[in-house]
Amino acid sequence: MRRTPTRRRRSGAGTRRRGVATVALLLTGAMALAGCAKDTGGGSADGGESGPCALNPPPAAAAAPTSSTTQQLPPPNASGMRVGVAFDIGGRGDASFNDASVAGLDRAKADMGLGETKELDAGAGEPEDAKQTRLRQLAREGFNPVIAVGYAYADALKIVAPEFPGTKFAIIDEQIDGVPNVTSLVFAEEQGSFLAGVVAAHKSKSCHVGFVGGVQTPLIQKFQAGFEAGAKAAAPEIKIEQEYLTPAGDFSGFQDPNKGSEVATGQLEAGADVIYHAAGASGKGVFGAVEGAGAQAIGVDSDQYNQPTVAEYKDVIISSMLKRIDLAVYDYIAAVARDDLSTVPKKFDVAIDGVTYSTSGGKIDDLKPVLDAYKTAIANGQIKVPEQP
């Protein structure tokens, strides 16, 4: 199986110059105070755990975070609606991306009384036309709307949606324009990952962290870019390891816990002691490696501390970057039930809690003021988070 070369980012002059330049672009106004880094510390600006990273203060005088814009209207009665879902690789039970969509679907069932739902799984290594077949099957069986979970469905949806103009489709993680019966549910993953980077910098005891990506695509690179930017904003001298499990086009990187463990082990052996993954079901292997090394991990998409399929590793999961796919799926179904898709946000970002961080387990409670200061600075445009590494 092909692997992308490991590109570990050390604290050499070239990397340091690029990291400082990135931080300089990100931080404006009150962030100029960042030049007065704290004395050593791996905890928050409010006095958390100590550690070797020299930490910048968070944005000064930030207002309280923008409140969530979860569905404000009472849930509609959708007893006559039949909703179809085409999952990405891993399906229900992946403890990550797919399960986040499941949470929204299950909540819609409970709140709106959906008439019927049907879920179809993807297979590892399947041909491209298998995605078209799943979408056509759901549409032909009368499910409306049909939700495609993942950008891998983009090409298939562009073909299938025009064949069923009376069926509403949604796709998670891909912007599709020009197809009137398709709604795109997209996120500012880089913003949530920035917060994960801040967590990693504050909690690392070695000032050395890691990122494990599932597949090297522009979408997953947004996670990497945000994580690196957040870690550098909090601790400019931090070392960051990064590696992808598979190259673009090989989606097995989202369903290979053994490879996740192997790559994470390499980063741990290099000195990283906090690892953030965006690798789907492969994250279970990352967690296993982290637990074996007595290190710490940051989950992704769902609140992985509370996910049953990775419950054995919850003690090492200090936070998760919450990508509110559940909110997007729920709000989309509610909008279809009301026949008003104008209520669906154009992008789920930190300003509406479309991406945020989890505090389950109480391991980052000391960082809440710091994280909320960064979160607000992103929401109001004070910090611009890059989408590319």
Side-chain angles (χ1 to χ4, degrees), residues 14 39 42 96 110 182 203 225 230 241 287 318 337 342 347 362 378:
D39 294 334
S96 183
V182 173
K203 291 300 182 181
E241 305 289 327
F287 294 148
I318 58 175
S342 68
K347 179 172 283 191
I378 295 169

Side-chain angles (χ1 to χ4, degrees), residues 107-143:
R107 182 183 163 209
K109 287 180 187 178
D111 289 357
M112 305 177 208
L114 299 179
E116 183 182 355
T117 63
K118 185 167 185 173
E119 303 167 6
L120 297 180
D121 289 333
E126 67 182 13
E128 178 62 26
D129 60 6
K131 299 177 180 62
Q132 296 179 30
T133 298
R134 271 193 295 283
L135 296 174
R136 286 193 182 99
Q137 177 183 340
L138 291 169
R140 285 171 177 159
E141 292 180 2
F143 290 93

